[in-house]
Amino acid sequence: MIHGYHVIFGAYGFWLPNDPRGSWSDFVGKWELVRFGRTTKSVERRELTPEEEQQRIKAKRALKYPPMQFTGDQARDIGRAFGKIAARNNYTIWACSILPEHAHLVIARHTYQVESIVTLLKGESTRELIQSGSHPLAMHAKRGSRPPKMWSRGEWKVYLDSNQAIENAMRYVEENPEQDGKPKQKWRFVSPFRGIEPGWVTYH
């Protein structure tokens, strides 16, 4: 039985659908990327040759807007937004790390599908950055319009069905900032994991 999810969703330009390392995308939706090849959908990731790495960099440079690199202040705004939407909809979040190019969360099962939860997290964080005047693509917005999307389409997810799986995912998420040379993160909206409850449970 599924009790939680480890989700990763990237900022704009973080992981392209035809990234030679593999991707979780079914199609290449941006015309400027089509010339760099078809989707490379795969559950496995691989190391790149120098030539493939150059191809990946060229594809990023071909994007319509510069790839996102959230600042520390923007990450705090995103975290604030995650906390608001989690409180509003009674999400239980067991771990969260917000990196310059992507976010990791471990989320307990809810009445909402995990894809809907991710969509709402993205939407609330976008509104938060627009309202605070810190949206990273604000300078590219047309007059009277919202800025371009700061999150990429979709998400990567793993279903968690045991205490061990949840604890392993939490550990990975909590340690992820250190792998990027940054300190561990603590968020007020993160709840302690107290073990799997028996039966069909919606965690609050």
Side-chain angles (χ1 to χ4, degrees):
M1 183 180 297
I2 304 303
H3 285 267
Y5 318 90
H6 175 193
V7 296
I8 304 172
F9 46 99
Y12 174 81
F14 166 55
W15 203 293
L16 305 182
N18 50 6
D19 191 303
R21 294 171 295 179
S23 79
W24 56 81
S25 300
D26 292 303
F27 68 98
V28 179
K30 301 292 184 181
W31 69 266
E32 61 266 30
L33 296 179
V34 172
R35 65 190 177 93
F36 293 98
R38 301 172 63 181
T39 179
T40 52
K41 187 172 184 179
S42 173
V43 295
E44 297 181 355
R45 300 290 176 258
R46 65 183 185 85
E47 297 297 322
L48 301 184
T49 66
E51 293 77 14
E52 289 173 325
E53 178 62 21
Q54 286 302 312
Q55 183 79 347
R56 189 178 73 87
I57 293 172
K58 287 179 181 178
K60 280 180 173 282
R61 289 174 178 166
L63 290 168
K64 186 174 182 180
Y65 307 109
M68 294 293 90
Q69 283 280 338
F70 296 127
T71 66
D73 287 341
Q74 288 166 338
R76 282 189 288 272
D77 286 345
I78 291 169
R80 186 182 306 115
F82 286 177
K84 288 179 181 178
I85 198 71
R88 188 180 308 153
N89 293 320
N90 289 320
Y91 302 152
T92 297
I93 299 176
W94 286 319
C96 174
S97 289
I98 302 168
L99 285 301
E101 297 179 310
H102 62 290
H104 285 264
L105 295 97
V106 179
I107 305 172
R109 190 182 60 203
H110 193 271
T111 52
Y112 294 171
Q113 293 184 334
V114 65
E115 295 85 355
S116 297
I117 293 174
V118 170
T119 296
L120 291 170
L121 289 167
K122 290 178 180 179
E124 187 68 22
S125 58
T126 297
R127 282 189 289 274
E128 184 76 26
L129 265 64
I130 290 174
Q131 290 173 5
S132 68
S134 61
H135 192 288
L137 291 177
M139 70 290 294
H140 297 283
K142 296 180 180 178
R143 185 181 298 275
S145 300
R146 290 166 61 91
K149 292 182 179 180
M150 67 182 196
W151 296 108
S152 61
R153 184 194 302 267
E155 69 287 321
W156 179 86
K157 55 188 176 290
V158 172
Y159 298 100
L160 308 173
D161 61 358
S162 69
N163 284 309
Q164 189 66 55
I166 292 170
E167 289 168 355
N168 288 346
M170 289 174 59
R171 187 178 306 110
Y172 180 88
V173 171
E174 290 165 356
E175 293 176 354
N176 202 254
E178 292 182 309
Q179 296 177 12
D180 201 42
K182 296 175 174 55
K184 285 187 177 181
Q185 299 177 5
K186 293 184 178 180
W187 300 101
R188 292 182 180 178
F189 57 84
V190 169
S191 302
F193 176 60
R194 305 189 186 283
I196 287 179
E197 299 179 32
W200 184 267
V201 178
T202 297
Y203 295 84
H204 296 288

